Amino acid sequence: MSPSPTRVLVLNSGSSSVKYQLLDMRDSSRLAVGLVERIGEQTSRLRHTCLDSGDIREALGPIADHEAALKAVAEELTRDGLGLDSPELAAIGHRVVHGGMFFTEPTVIDDAVLAEIERLIPVAPLHNPANLTGIRTAQALRPDLPQVAVFDTAFHTTMPESAARYAIDPKFADRYRIRRYGFHGTSHAYVSRATARLLGRTPEEVNVIVLHLGNGASASAVRGGRCVDTSMGLTPLEGLVMGTRSGDLDPAVIFHLVRVGGMSMDEIDTLLNKRSGLFGLCGDNDMREIRRRIDEGDEAAQLAFDIYIHRLKKYIGAYCAVLGRVDAVAFTAGVGENAAPVREAAVAGLEGLGLAVDPELNAVRADEPRLISPAGTRVAVAVVPTDEELEIATQTYALVGTGSAPVGNNS
């Protein structure tokens, strides 16, 4: 009798990119990792690494669409003897950004699940279409293999109604499924648990504020391993200042832009999602470039940074109030893990809340979770590298390995 397959391929299909990892779940080791970026452009790039051999390959040139990208990924894996036709492949796990209020856990994908993900496109227009393309292409490549959707929104479905509901007539909210869903859930789930381990405690024992700061950014308040509040809402536009998104905004700004500015809904959508945030404020959405400009005395970059930090402080303070007791604040994702000035500025002046960073610890660059707060501080401040791919693979393998995978049962 042949052993059960133990490998999981994780696909994260973005609007113009595909990130992938192949993992062996016997020890959660990575066999291959890669990225296809700038899909649809003449300057597309595929970078593939086989961890076993250490072989790194890069291909430059036009990749027309996600279907072509995934076929190219399959070819690279085959070159390493890790092809999609391998009997050791147990499942393919897909990151899906928006699962609405129905998908509260990982789900094996069937036609009903695909239809529900498609129905949610209006509230995740940049992400769900790409997620669907990745799923359908993977299904065509391996129609016999379980395909599992792991939803960004699932971790946040534990929010109480007082946090998840907007203060609008429930008749309209329910009809149009308007509520706060939250995103980056796989990251918030992973980081909140990893922070508890860093403190030598179980997730059920600790209250953590997780700050996922990348080009997209979100905060969450996690009490005893369960999300009780998060900054993103119906869509990923709400909350913190982000790379190109405005975050929190008076809704009347939209009415004003229509009535006074004569702008269309599509123009406003583009403005708030793609031309706002740090990019809208100073023309750059890369924190490294913004910090370089600040060092050179650039006033626009300094103001953009100050607005970014001001919003971040407000959410830290708010979630201290929501949680009552905070054991740790964890910074994660590209900016959170690598931008020491952001971490320092975010907690500066919050000593009354028990928060502080040690400048020397904060300056250290490392790949492992670490504390950056002084010894004896009431609230631990941590840098915890996120691992969304491992989280997706773990959830996918746990579901497929039980023999009772809920195919579409949440839809």
Side-chain angles (χ1 to χ4, degrees):
M1 183 177 179
S2 60
S4 299
T6 59
R7 294 177 183 172
V8 173
L9 176 64
V10 174
L11 295 177
N12 182 348
S13 299
S15 56
S16 61
S17 66
V18 174
K19 291 192 290 186
Y20 63 94
Q21 292 192 13
L22 180 66
L23 299 95
D24 190 325
M25 300 314 297
R26 288 176 295 185
D27 55 4
S28 299
S29 61
R30 287 167 174 79
L31 304 176
V33 302
L35 169 67
V36 187
E37 56 186 341
R38 298 192 291 271
I39 295 172
E41 301 180 20
Q42 292 298 309
T43 56
S44 304
R45 183 179 76 150
L46 188 159
R47 181 178 175 85
H48 174 90
T49 302
C50 176
L51 279 303
D52 185 38
S53 65
D55 189 19
I56 300 174
R57 299 189 293 273
E58 188 170 293
L60 301 173
I63 297 177
D65 51 30
H66 284 73
E67 181 177 357
L70 286 173
K71 287 181 177 177
V73 169
E75 290 173 4
E76 292 298 327
L77 291 169
T78 298
R79 288 179 63 182
D80 296 322
L82 303 170
L84 298 190
D85 58 350
S86 169
E88 297 182 67
L89 189 60
I92 299 177
H94 298 266
R95 178 200 180 204
V96 179
V97 167
H98 213 311
M101 61 188 296
F102 301 104
F103 297 112
T104 61
E105 59 187 17
T107 306
V108 173
I109 299 165
D110 63 4
D111 290 343
V113 173
L114 284 172
E116 183 62 26
I117 295 171
E118 191 161 15
R119 280 195 291 270
L120 288 163
I121 285 176
V123 288
L126 300 178
H127 299 93
N128 274 31
N131 301 156
L132 281 166
T133 300
I135 292 168
R136 287 172 171 144
T137 303
Q139 285 179 322
L141 292 172
R142 276 299 302 270
D144 59 313
L145 201 65
Q147 312 270 338
V148 175
V150 178
F151 299 91
D152 268 15
T153 49
F155 181 65
H156 304 302
T157 59
T158 57
M159 284 192 295
E161 287 294 281
S162 57
R165 284 274 185 177
Y166 290 109
I168 63 175
D169 188 335
K171 175 171 76 263
F172 295 103
D174 293 343
R175 181 183 304 167
Y176 300 112
R177 297 190 287 187
I178 299 171
R179 62 188 287 116
R180 301 184 62 251
Y181 294 102
F183 300 90
H184 296 143
T186 52
S187 177
H188 286 279
Y190 178 87
V191 171
S192 61
R193 291 199 303 271
T195 303
R197 287 195 300 271
L198 182 63
L199 299 179
R201 300 163 72 180
T202 67
E204 293 74 22
E205 295 176 302
V206 299
N207 293 348
V208 183
I209 297 173
V210 178
L211 303 172
H212 178 107
L213 307 179
N215 191 51
S218 61
S220 68
V222 183
R223 177 185 293 126
R226 295 168 63 85
C227 178
V228 295
D229 205 350
T230 193
S231 58
M232 287 179 167
L234 174 73
T235 77
L237 182 58
E238 187 180 357
L240 301 175
V241 175
M242 302 174 227
T244 65
R245 299 185 192 123
S246 66
D248 291 340
L249 189 78
D250 179 349
V253 169
I254 297 171
F255 312 147
H256 184 78
L257 291 172
V258 172
R259 294 167 181 159
V260 178
M263 294 178 68
S264 69
M265 285 294 109
D266 286 343
E267 288 172 329
I268 295 171
D269 190 319
T270 298
L271 171 68
L272 298 182
N273 275 296
K274 297 182 179 180
R275 304 196 62 81
S276 293
L278 293 170
F279 178 80
L281 289 166
C282 72
D284 270 308
N285 62 321
D286 188 317
M287 187 59 73
R288 294 165 296 189
E289 182 63 16
I290 290 170
R291 290 303 309 177
R292 184 193 65 77
R293 288 171 55 184
I294 289 172
D295 291 340
E296 295 177 353
D298 189 306
E299 293 183 2
Q302 182 67 65
L303 179 59
F305 183 82
D306 292 345
I307 292 170
Y308 181 95
I309 294 298
H310 179 74
R311 184 80 56 82
L312 190 53
K313 281 180 182 284
K314 287 174 67 174
Y315 270 91
I316 293 171
Y319 287 169
C320 284
V322 167
L323 291 170
R325 187 199 82 241
V326 178
D327 299 296
V329 173
F331 289 86
T332 194
V335 174
E337 294 170 28
N338 298 300
V342 168
R343 298 190 297 262
E344 180 180 5
V347 302
L350 301 184
E351 292 82 5
L353 298 177
L355 290 162
V357 298
D358 180 299
E360 291 186 5
L361 294 176
N362 190 37
V364 172
R365 297 290 294 269
D367 295 329
E368 298 299 319
R370 62 195 187 279
L371 295 177
I372 60 171
S373 46
T377 306
R378 187 168 81 246
V379 179
V381 181
V383 180
V384 180
T386 191
D387 198 333
E388 294 174 274
E389 286 77 16
L390 176 58
E391 182 70 17
I392 292 168
T394 300
Q395 292 190 28
T396 296
Y397 191 65
L399 178 62
V400 172
T402 63
S404 56
V407 181
N409 74 336
N410 286 323
S411 61

